[in-house]
């Protein structure tokens, strides 16, 4: 029995030595974390919200490198701050899409400028903008899957409350729920997803992995729960097929994953258009 356990552990360790297997596991972890959250982003029409939070991650990378701290911690803190700022400013003088556009691009520009001031630090900016999933290590896998499981646990525990607050805030108030508190749960979850996904698909493509699988699942689903499950499946299939296409055609891995997700989205829209009204 001991020999079998040792052999199994050895095989698992050997499998993780393959960078493609590590990349696939990373892609699956991000898809699992982003799927249910992406559904709420679609339902709440918060696409720009995801962009603003993701773009702030570059500033988090710069601060992490300047302070010699964990990239994950720096990105998480800055993304959370941006998400909280956006939530706090919603409903103020400017239209929501205008405010999000200003914050999103300003955060990205500020982050890029901050990176340029770093002295004596080598940084592959393209890897943070578009992801470097093929460079994911074992430690990265722990962070990605730890974040994914945390987001899933938060979403599942608050699923009904989040759904009610999203679909009908007045009904949520009547039921004793606080929609602002539920939005805070979404905000925290979004910051975690951004922090774990930056290594996989990069700042510029995180919002795509949040929105496209959920949007592709929407016309194929009859219930919110079904949409979340289908979004996870679409995200997982996109990660696997995108990596295979990247290896076969020597294309960038992150963008290839998003391209596959976009193709599945187009297919789902075509299927939906063929259904009788």
């Amino acid at each position: 029995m001991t020999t079998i356990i040792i052999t199994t552990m050895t095989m698992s360790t050997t499998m993780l030595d393959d960078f493609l297997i590590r990349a696939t596991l990373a892609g699956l972890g991000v898809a699992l974390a982003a799927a249910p959250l992406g559904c709420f982003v679609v339902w709440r029409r918060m696409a720009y919200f995801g962009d603003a939070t993701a773009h702030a991650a570059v500033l988090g990378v710069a601060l992490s490198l300047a302070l010699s701290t964990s990239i994950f911690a720096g990105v998480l803190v800055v993304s959370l701050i941006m998400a909280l700022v956006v939530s706090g400013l919603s409903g103020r003088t400017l239209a929501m899409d205008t405010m999000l556009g200003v914050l999103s691009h300003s955060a990205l520009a500020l982050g890029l400028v901050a990176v340029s001031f770093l002295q004596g630090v080598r940084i592959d900016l393209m890897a943070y903008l578009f992801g470097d999933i093929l460079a994911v290590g074992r430690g990265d896998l722990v962070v990605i899957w730890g974040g994914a499981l945390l987001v899933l646990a938060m979403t599942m525990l608050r699923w009904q409350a989040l759904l009610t607050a999203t679909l009908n805030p007045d009904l949520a108030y009547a039921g004793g729920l606080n929609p602002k508190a539920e939005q805070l749960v979404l905000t925290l979850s979004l910051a975690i997803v951004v922090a774990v996904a930056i290594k996989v698909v990069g700042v510029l493509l995180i919002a795509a992995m949040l929105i496209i699988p959920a949007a592709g699942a929407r016309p194929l689903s009859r219930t919110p729960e079904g949409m979340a499950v289908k979004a996870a499946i679409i995200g997982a299939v996109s990660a696997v097929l995108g990596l295979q296409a990247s290896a076969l055609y020597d294309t960038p891995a992150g963008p290839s994953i998003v391209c596959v997700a976009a193709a599945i989205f187009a297919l789902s829209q075509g299927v939906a258009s063929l259904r009788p009204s």
Side-chain angles (χ1 to χ4, degrees):
M1 187 66 174
T2 304
T3 305
I4 294 176
I5 294 174
I6 294 174
T7 303
T8 304
M9 292 176 63
T10 304
M11 290 176 61
S12 300
T13 303
T14 304
M15 287 177 61
L16 289 178
D17 287 337
D18 189 329
F19 71 95
L20 275 177
I21 291 179
R22 292 198 303 271
T24 301
L25 289 174
L28 292 176
V30 170
L32 196 64
L37 193 58
C39 292
F40 285 104
V41 170
V42 170
W43 291 329
R44 287 173 173 251
R45 299 179 182 178
M46 293 168 55
Y48 250 136
F49 185 88
D51 262 338
T53 307
H55 286 177
V58 177
L59 181 57
V61 171
L63 291 176
S64 298
L65 294 174
L67 299 174
S68 300
T69 60
S70 165
I71 297 292
F72 172 77
V75 170
L76 178 61
V77 169
V78 174
S79 298
L80 182 57
I81 291 173
M82 173 59 78
L84 291 173
V85 168
V86 170
S87 297
L89 292 178
S90 61
R92 299 294 175 88
T93 53
L94 288 176
M96 189 65 172
D97 60 342
T98 302
M99 182 190 65
L100 287 173
V102 171
L103 289 175
S104 173
H105 300 299
S106 299
L108 179 60
L110 183 59
L112 294 175
V113 170
V115 167
S116 70
F117 280 107
L118 294 176
Q119 299 294 329
V121 177
R122 296 187 61 184
I123 176 172
D124 184 1
L125 196 56
M126 293 295 288
Y128 289 109
L129 292 177
F130 297 102
D132 192 9
I133 190 172
L134 298 180
V136 168
R138 298 186 185 188
D140 296 318
L141 283 178
V142 173
V143 171
I144 290 170
W145 275 93
L149 294 176
L150 179 59
V151 169
L152 276 179
M154 291 170 61
T155 307
M156 290 176 65
L157 287 172
R158 303 299 304 168
W159 177 263
Q160 199 57 51
L162 286 168
L163 193 59
T164 304
T166 297
L167 301 179
N168 194 329
D170 293 333
L171 182 61
Y173 276 119
L177 299 174
N178 185 353
K180 291 282 187 182
E182 303 309 326
Q183 183 168 341
L184 184 61
V185 173
L186 282 178
T187 298
L188 179 58
S189 300
L190 181 60
I192 294 173
V193 168
V194 169
V196 300
I198 189 172
K199 184 84 173 182
V200 177
V201 291
V203 168
L204 299 181
L205 301 178
I206 290 172
M209 287 305 293
L210 279 168
I211 297 166
I212 297 177
R218 190 170 193 172
L220 306 177
S221 308
R222 296 183 180 274
T223 65
E225 293 79 9
M227 179 173 164
V229 171
K230 288 183 176 66
I233 294 173
I234 291 174
V237 170
S238 300
V240 174
L241 294 184
L243 281 171
Q244 290 182 350
S246 174
L248 184 62
Y249 299 108
D250 194 24
T251 56
S256 297
I257 292 173
V258 175
C259 285
V260 173
I264 296 175
F265 167 77
L267 183 62
S268 74
Q269 296 301 306
V271 170
S273 67
L274 295 176
R275 287 181 175 176
S277 301

